[in-house]
Amino acid sequence: MADDLQKDALSLVHSVVMGVAGTAPTFSISATMTTLIGAVGVLAPASLLYCGLIMFGITFAYMHLNRLEANAGASYAWVSRIFNRTLGFFAGWTLLVASTLFMVSATIPAGNATLLLLCPSLVNDQLAVTLVSMGWLVAVSLVLIRGIALTGAVQAVMTATELAILLVLTVAAALRFGPAAAHRLSWGQLAPSAFTPAAFASGAIIALYFFWGWDVAVNLNEETRDSARLPGLGAALAMVIITSAFTAFAAVALLALGDDEIRNASTNVIFAVADRLFPRPWSYLAVLALMLSTIGTLETSILQFTRTMFAKSRDGALHRRWARLHADWRSPYWATMLIAGLGCLLLLLSLLFHGVGEVLKASINAIGVQVAYYYGLAGFACAWHFRHRARQSLADLVLMVAWPALSAAALWVSAVVAVSQFDLPTALIAVGGVLLGAVPLGANRQARERVAATPPMAGRPSDGG
């Protein structure tokens, strides 16, 4: 069977849509805004703005590295090529771990929103939310197995609807609550001097969760037309859209809601704003936007997981079964079924936590650290590979070397500071999940060494361990 993904199935518009959907604006705001405001208060818009500037450095790194090599493994492939295979393996492994953890923090808001629409009395029932969340995970996985062309078409409609609803809510809230704000905002709160180092690191790690996912546009490069150029451009355009959306809605939430309202809103902060703007059932448009956003980010996160696993397995870094493609739909269906199964297992384990909010907080913090690690590796790889171009022009110095390197350094420093402030279970999940990659790395290396040392035999499989 050919090992090629579906070629030229996506366009520049699809790349932008996938990049936006990967960050899931409505979902990210709903799942994370309460946590961010709880950590940094009125500095939340500034945290998102600065994190956006940091992320642009990583976006530029992805753009230039993608032109170097269009590979579905993205950071895994580039770090392996520029530094070494071990660092590359951990870059890819960290994305796999973060995506798996995300199956919990992504599906819980979907389950919550579904029950809010269909059975409000169960919205705080952790078991009911978990079971509905598992249903969404299975349904989305089945759509993805059907192929990227269908996924791209569905995603475009959902993302356009979601952004339209979010724009209406943002403009309406700014007009209504600006003169009578629950929190007084000022331009001085956007200054770097408004932060302490600990507050900046805490805000940056949480804000990173908002932005994570835009790079799915690059993971789909082998399935996009003009694969060396369009995926990176689509990711950059998506970053402009989402940085604007996140910063604006953080300000809107602070204008519209008081501290107690934000705290009590939990994963329904957008609905809380909508409920103050519009009478029911019109306010339920916010719930619709959340459901669309959650389905979208579930799709893109699974896509990142499966394309990274496909690329690693194709190279022999993981067992080759995960690189098997469906004969008709050209999708890595074994890898898709794997993450769906792991997600369902983690959702069941999440019942051991006391309440939905505790589950979300732990997963958000752990994922933020892991994303900072593999984004940082890509940023450093770009700066190192193109360091000689820095002498050719100021633009090359800034966009290929300085900005990616400074962004990578900022992410790693923020991650270290944030981990030092975590409780022990969250720190173990964040760091231990990355270190766990040493097990498959060592096992696969030993398997390849055994294969290389054994004379070929007829009918003998050559797959890695």
Side-chain angles (χ1 to χ4, degrees):
M1 180 188 299
D3 62 353
D4 289 336
L5 296 160
Q6 188 174 351
K7 297 292 186 183
D8 298 333
L10 303 175
S11 65
L12 175 60
V13 172
H14 287 121
S15 287
V16 176
V17 166
M18 287 295 183
V20 173
T23 64
T26 306
F27 161 78
S28 297
I29 291 168
S30 296
T32 320
M33 189 64 74
T34 299
T35 303
L36 179 62
I37 294 176
V40 298
V42 294
L43 299 178
S47 288
L48 289 164
L49 178 61
Y50 286 121
C51 191
L53 293 174
I54 291 171
M55 291 311 305
F56 269 109
I58 305 302
T59 306
F60 293 139
Y62 270 68
M63 284 180 63
H64 297 304
L65 291 171
N66 187 67
R67 289 173 182 167
L68 177 69
E69 179 184 357
N71 189 301
S75 59
Y76 149 73
W78 304 326
V79 174
S80 296
R81 174 173 174 171
I82 294 169
F83 291 143
N84 57 64
R85 290 176 62 88
T86 299
L87 276 178
F89 180 93
F90 277 103
W93 174 262
T94 305
L95 184 148
L96 298 179
V97 172
S99 298
T100 303
L101 288 175
F102 189 66
M103 294 301 100
V104 175
S105 53
T107 52
I108 284 178
N112 194 293
T114 303
L115 291 173
L116 186 61
L117 283 177
L118 302 179
C119 190
S121 62
L122 293 177
V123 76
N124 292 317
D125 186 319
Q126 191 174 358
L127 177 60
V129 170
T130 300
L131 293 176
V132 175
S133 301
M134 290 172 64
W136 273 118
L137 177 55
V138 172
V140 169
S141 299
L142 292 175
V143 171
L144 291 174
I145 290 175
R146 181 60 180 78
I148 192 62
L150 175 63
T151 302
V154 171
Q155 195 67 264
V157 174
M158 292 195 304
T159 301
T161 305
E162 172 198 354
L163 288 177
I165 294 173
L166 193 60
L167 179 62
V168 169
L169 291 176
T170 302
V171 173
L175 292 175
R176 178 170 177 181
F177 298 115
H183 293 86
R184 293 296 174 186
L185 304 181
S186 67
W187 292 110
Q189 293 160 356
L190 294 177
S193 58
F195 291 89
T196 64
F200 185 89
S202 178
I205 287 299
I206 298 170
L208 184 57
Y209 185 90
F210 280 79
F211 287 96
W212 177 49
W214 57 266
D215 49 317
V216 68
V218 185
N219 284 109
L220 298 172
N221 49 24
E222 294 184 34
E223 296 153 276
T224 305
R225 294 193 288 272
D226 194 357
S227 60
R229 187 177 66 89
L230 292 188
L233 178 59
L237 293 174
M239 275 296 300
V240 173
I241 295 171
I242 60 181
T243 301
S244 303
F246 288 147
T247 305
F249 203 91
V252 161
L254 290 165
L255 291 175
L257 304 174
D259 290 335
D260 290 339
E261 291 174 304
I262 292 172
R263 192 179 305 111
N264 294 333
S266 185
T267 60
N268 295 317
V269 68
I270 290 183
F271 180 66
V273 172
D275 223 17
R276 294 200 61 188
L277 288 170
F278 306 111
R280 298 187 185 187
W282 296 108
S283 60
Y284 279 90
L285 284 174
V287 183
L288 173 62
L290 174 58
M291 291 180 66
L292 293 175
S293 185
T294 305
I295 296 168
T297 196
L298 258 181
E299 286 186 347
T300 53
S301 186
I302 294 173
L303 285 171
Q304 277 196 291
F305 179 97
T306 57
R307 271 53 182 179
T308 301
M309 181 160 271
F310 166 81
K312 296 186 74 168
S313 302
R314 180 176 59 187
D315 294 345
L318 293 174
H319 197 288
R320 295 191 186 277
R321 74 168 64 91
W322 309 118
R324 292 176 187 167
L325 300 177
H326 193 280
D328 297 322
W329 302 325
R330 314 309 301 155
S331 61
Y333 61 102
W334 277 105
T336 305
M337 290 189 289
L338 173 65
I339 191 172
L342 290 173
C344 287
L345 175 62
L346 288 178
L347 280 167
L348 291 175
L349 292 175
S350 73
L351 292 171
L352 300 175
F353 284 80
H354 300 294
V356 171
E358 186 178 344
V359 175
L360 284 175
K361 182 179 178 181
S363 62
I364 287 167
N365 283 323
I367 289 170
V369 168
Q370 292 165 355
V371 173
Y373 173 69
Y374 87 81
Y375 275 171
L377 277 176
F380 286 128
C382 179
W384 179 256
H385 182 78
F386 293 109
R387 65 191 185 281
H388 300 301
R389 295 277 295 270
R391 305 170 190 165
Q392 298 181 12
S393 71
L394 180 60
D396 288 347
L397 170 63
V398 173
L399 300 181
M400 289 184 167
V401 180
W403 202 338
L406 289 173
S407 294
L411 289 175
W412 278 18
V413 169
S414 296
V416 170
V417 173
V419 168
S420 69
Q421 299 174 338
F422 288 170
D423 56 45
L424 183 60
T426 304
L428 288 175
I429 293 171
V431 180
V434 177
L435 297 179
L436 189 63
V439 177
L441 175 66
N444 229 50
R445 182 173 293 165
Q446 292 174 6
R448 288 196 300 273
E449 290 173 353
R450 287 196 301 270
V451 170
T454 304
M457 295 173 57
R460 180 180 173 276
S462 60
D463 287 356

